[in-house]
Amino acid sequence: MSESKLELLSEHRCFDGMQRYYRHESSAIGLPMRFSVYLPPQAEEGRVPVLFYLAGLTCTEETFMIKGGAQRYAAQHGIMLVAPDTSPRGAGIAGEDDDWDFGTGAGFYVDATQEPWSRHYRMESYVVDELFGIVTTVLPGNPDCAGIFGHSMGGHGALVLAQRHPDKFRSVSAFAPIAAPMHCPWGEKAFSGYLGPDRQAWAAYDATLLMEQSQSPFPKGILVDQGLADGFLAEQLHPEAFEAACAQAQQPLILRRHEGYDHGYYFISTFMEDHLAFHAERLGAD
């Protein structure tokens, strides 16, 4: 794909770099997709490390770039930030807009296997293959220095895609991830719809189960931040399950629990500097 195939929707000078929003015809999805990119000032000189951010339920490619406060730190470390949309849009599937936690805005970063979702809801292939290829060829991301992080549904996506594609991602972190989706209402609803009734098929997208089958896949560590005033913590997130799996797999994990913090972007932006520094160290960005 050439840069001319990317439609530049807008660009904004930001911390001496450039915040851009793109649209393109996605071969993986079969529909137009949008994504956002922050190019740090160092990108003017050549390829730079790239950090993918996967957003949570109901979000778009804009949410993180507007609310996360990450560009300041990305500019300091010379890291490109990339945020895809959270699902296909306008797939024409009956009921795709009925629920906030399934369908539009809720792609869960899986490749759906069940009709009619399997025609367009192929977010794993979109992020890992198509978008990764675009930002490391057409745009100046370094394919050998890529990390991934995310929030909630996107935290699930980051932990899962990093484990499923360790050849692509050298670093991984998460904010309040859905850490054991096979055992929470959000995950059970999404996996039933996208992957069907066979729970064995779900296991490939459960971060905790993937870790239980591993042996220290990220020896330089994984960072997870979780607010203790998060209203979704007890029913939906289960960080303790992922913590136990990491202990079993001898996977170094920094799981920080924060009194008084909830599930939103006030929490995320508070600890964004730490996450960018964490990835910068592992990607050799400084």
Side-chain angles (χ1 to χ4, degrees), residues 3 27 37 39 69 104 110 113 124 140 159 182 189 197 203 230 237 254 285:
E3 191 156 9
S27 58
V37 173
L39 296 170
T104 301
V110 305
T113 58
E124 177 182 24
L159 294 176
M182 290 181 65
K189 179 176 182 177
D230 188 325
L237 304 182
I254 305 165

Side-chain angles (χ1 to χ4, degrees), residues 209-228:
L209 284 181
L210 289 172
M211 186 59 69
E212 288 176 355
Q213 300 162 9
S214 300
Q215 187 67 28
S216 189
F218 289 90
K220 292 185 178 181
I222 295 172
L223 172 62
V224 174
D225 279 305
Q226 175 63 59
L228 293 180

Side-chain angles (χ1 to χ4, degrees), residues 18-157:
M18 193 66 71
Q19 177 64 53
R20 292 179 177 173
Y21 294 92
Y22 286 107
R23 178 169 54 205
H24 69 112
E25 293 292 332
S26 168
S27 58
I29 301 296
L31 293 166
M33 287 291 289
R34 296 180 183 234
F35 66 93
S36 57
V37 173
Y38 175 68
L39 296 170
Q42 295 87 341
E44 296 179 6
E45 305 299 324
R47 296 204 170 272
V48 292
V50 56
L51 182 56
F52 290 79
Y53 179 88
L54 306 182
L57 293 163
T58 75
C59 293
T60 72
E61 74 286 350
E62 291 185 310
T63 311
F64 164 70
M65 296 299 187
I66 293 172
K67 295 183 177 182
Q71 291 94 334
R72 176 192 299 272
Y73 311 115
Q76 291 172 3
H77 295 292
I79 293 176
M80 178 197 295
L81 301 173
V82 178
D85 201 352
T86 52
S87 78
R89 306 275 168 175
I93 299 173
E96 68 181 331
D97 297 326
D98 289 355
D99 298 322
W100 67 275
D101 56 357
F102 182 76
T104 301
F108 268 81
Y109 305 102
V110 305
D111 280 356
T113 58
Q114 301 299 298
E115 288 286 350
W117 307 100
S118 58
R119 294 176 215 166
H120 299 296
Y121 277 67
R122 298 177 49 78
M123 289 299 293
E124 177 182 24
S125 291
Y126 176 69
V127 171
V128 173
D129 295 327
E130 186 171 15
L131 187 58
F132 190 99
I134 290 170
V135 303
T136 58
T137 56
V138 181
L139 299 175
N142 184 342
D144 298 319
C145 295
I148 191 167
F149 69 150
H151 167 237
S152 194
M153 175 184 73
H156 139 77

